[in-house]
Amino acid sequence: MSKPKLYLTRILPEEVMDYISTKFELRFNMENRIATREELIEGIKWCDALLCLLSDKIDAELLSLNPNLKCVSNYAVGYNNIDVAAATRLGIAVCNTPGVLTESTADLAWALMFAVARRIAEGDAFTRAGLFEGWAPKLMQGYDVFGSTLGVIGAGRIGSAVARRASGFNMRVLYFNRSKKKIDNCEATQVGLDYLLKESDFISLNIPYTSETHHIINEKELSLMKRNAIIINTARGACINEVALVEALRKGLIAGAGLDVYEHEPEIMPELLTMQNVVLLPHIGSATYKTRKVMGLLAVENILDVLSGRIPQAIVNNEVLAKIN
Ligand code: NAP
């Protein structure tokens, strides 16, 4: 029996590539860069299923190119890069990788919290530059994490995991979320967004990017925050108005920011690159060896399930399954 055709937009970890090659007739972008639109067009026209990344914009035009395309499997939990409404209209299943990257991403949010509060990146650069001349009372003072207030915006899988870690640091935890959540092993209080912004020392964004959450942190929201507040974004860049963030940091309205994602990724506002109270990472929330492998295997299983008429572990538009098989 012939194998189904898979187009993969970028090389994945080796174990995932090995598994894929046993299951599919494979074409993939062999360069270590984001696939071009021309490559996406060619790949999509040819395949039964597409395995893509959050950096691939899969719009209605691309989805319409191939009536045999059955599944778009995103190597990410966020799927704002895919026109899900168009896929649903066209009977194409859209899958993602929820759950398997939760703890790694929550760890990274915490790493950013500490890095900004305790000036880790700045201190490292200072020391390597040979500027350390011995212990000094006012050298690199920062902010306490222990005993402070954490505000989580979006208390889903990752937001809850971020909140849970706070119990180890004796923190008060507030969260803003559409529905009420019971977070295991964490006493967290659901509050309105404005209250969370006014009360929190650390604010972690863990909300998906949608039309409702576009610029959920804007000029007004930044103005409500404490002067010592540190904002952490491991969600999606455009949840924050980056221009307003730069302005708030420049004016000292907040104390710092830890960013893994950017509004116009991979471009970053040049001002951010010059600010000492900002820690910048290249979108590596889920980037551990283990997690990137498990994400890949889940993304592949999702496709195999769709193509063989099973209900995939993680599908975003369930309603298309009846149409596919
Ligand atoms: P999730 O479990 O779906 O959690 C999202 C939470 O946000 C849910 O609790 C949801 O509330 C809430 N929410 C959604 N829209 C809202 C709104 N308009 N107002 C208030 N609350 C709203 O998702 P997750 O797995 O935690 O992932 C969250 C996001 O993190 C992803 O979408 C992705 O963009 C990002 N992410 C980034 C990285 C990285 O590498 N930096 C890695 C993984 C994920 P309800 O439960 O009431 O719907």
Side-chain angles (χ1 to χ4, degrees), residues 109-121:
W110 272 85
L112 279 170
M113 252 187 256
F114 275 107
V116 181
R118 298 305 306 273
R119 304 172 70 166
I120 304 294

Side-chain angles (χ1 to χ4, degrees), residues 54 76-80 96-99 101-102 104-106 108 153-161 175-181 205-213 216 233-237 239 260-261 265 282-287 292 295:
L54 58 89
V77 61
Y79 48 85
N80 52 290
N96 65 341
T97 63
L101 41 58
T102 296
S104 306
T105 310
L108 194 88
I153 299 179
R157 287 171 293 252
I158 300 170
S160 297
Y175 75 89
F176 167 72
N177 197 79
R178 191 159 49 188
S179 57
K180 193 169 175 57
K181 296 282 177 181
L205 264 84
N206 299 104
I207 208 152
Y209 178 65
T210 63
S211 53
E212 282 172 31
T213 64
I216 191 167
N233 192 5
T234 58
R236 286 289 182 265
C239 294
D260 186 39
V261 289
E265 216 167 290
H283 204 152
I284 54 169
S286 64
R292 286 286 165 84
M295 284 167 65

Side-chain angles (χ1 to χ4, degrees), residues 8-307:
L8 168 65
T9 64
R10 195 150 178 178
I11 298 171
L12 299 179
E14 226 167 274
E15 298 99 320
V16 184
M17 294 304 288
D18 290 346
Y19 185 53
I20 287 177
S21 60
T22 64
K23 299 286 180 188
F24 297 97
E25 185 183 340
L26 179 66
R27 285 190 190 170
F28 61 101
N29 166 24
M30 282 185 253
E31 311 290 330
N32 191 21
R33 55 157 173 76
I34 294 171
T36 63
R37 188 154 180 98
E38 290 67 36
E39 287 165 339
L40 288 176
I41 290 172
E42 218 177 297
I44 288 173
K45 278 185 175 169
W46 169 82
C47 67
D48 300 309
L50 172 71
L51 206 169
C52 60
L53 313 185
L54 58 89
S55 41
D56 301 316
K57 191 170 164 38
I58 309 299
D59 58 25
E61 191 192 334
L62 288 176
L63 291 165
S64 314
L65 289 172
N66 178 359
N68 295 320
L69 181 64
K70 296 198 175 51
C71 180
V72 173
S73 186
N74 216 29
Y75 184 65
V77 61
Y79 48 85
N80 52 290
N81 57 308
I82 301 169
D83 187 337
V84 177
T88 306
R89 228 174 22 250
L90 293 160
I92 300 167
V94 177
C95 298
N96 65 341
T97 63
V100 294
L101 41 58
T102 296
E103 303 302 338
S104 306
T105 310
D107 281 349
L108 194 88
W110 272 85
L112 279 170
M113 252 187 256
F114 275 107
V116 181
R118 298 305 306 273
R119 304 172 70 166
I120 304 294
E122 191 188 350
D124 179 78
F126 177 89
T127 310
R128 284 170 196 265
L131 299 171
F132 178 45
E133 292 174 348
W135 193 92
K138 287 172 40 177
L139 181 63
M140 297 255 161
Q141 295 171 91
Y143 297 90
D144 281 311
V145 175
F146 190 90
S148 62
T149 296
L150 170 68
V152 173
I153 299 179
R157 287 171 293 252
I158 300 170
S160 297
V162 170
R164 238 183 327 269
R165 282 157 173 72
S167 60
F169 294 92
N170 197 29
M171 291 169 94
R172 170 188 177 217
V173 181
L174 307 174
Y175 75 89
F176 167 72
N177 197 79
R178 191 159 49 188
S179 57
K180 193 169 175 57
K181 296 282 177 181
K182 165 93 186 74
I183 305 176
D184 293 340
N185 304 318
C186 175
E187 270 184 42
T189 309
Q190 184 174 26
V191 294
L193 184 58
D194 287 4
Y195 184 84
L196 180 148
L197 298 170
K198 284 181 196 159
E199 289 286 317
S200 302
D201 303 302
F202 295 89
I203 294 166
S204 175
L205 264 84
N206 299 104
I207 208 152
Y209 178 65
T210 63
S211 53
E212 282 172 31
T213 64
H214 174 77
H215 288 183
I216 191 167
I217 300 299
N218 213 327
E219 201 176 337
K220 178 205 133 198
E221 288 71 26
L222 288 155
S223 74
L224 294 176
M225 293 179 195
K226 292 179 173 182
R227 290 239 162 197
N228 67 286
I230 290 173
I231 187 162
I232 305 298
N233 192 5
T234 58
R236 286 289 182 265
C239 294
I240 301 182
N241 179 344
E242 211 164 277
V243 173
L245 175 66
V246 165
E247 201 51 18
L249 288 162
R250 202 181 54 73
K251 289 183 180 158
L253 297 183
I254 62 172
L259 307 175
D260 186 39
V261 289
Y262 306 90
E263 187 165 4
H264 304 291
E265 216 167 290
E267 271 140 53
I268 300 177
M269 280 187 69
E271 291 88 337
L272 287 173
L273 303 175
T274 67
M275 291 173 168
Q276 296 282 24
N277 53 344
V278 175
V279 174
L280 306 171
L281 295 178
H283 204 152
I284 54 169
S286 64
T288 69
Y289 294 110
K290 180 177 155 209
T291 295
R292 286 286 165 84
K293 175 183 155 191
V294 184
M295 284 167 65
L297 297 177
L298 175 55
V300 173
E301 286 309 321
N302 283 335
I303 296 172
L304 292 170
D305 284 342
V306 170
L307 296 183

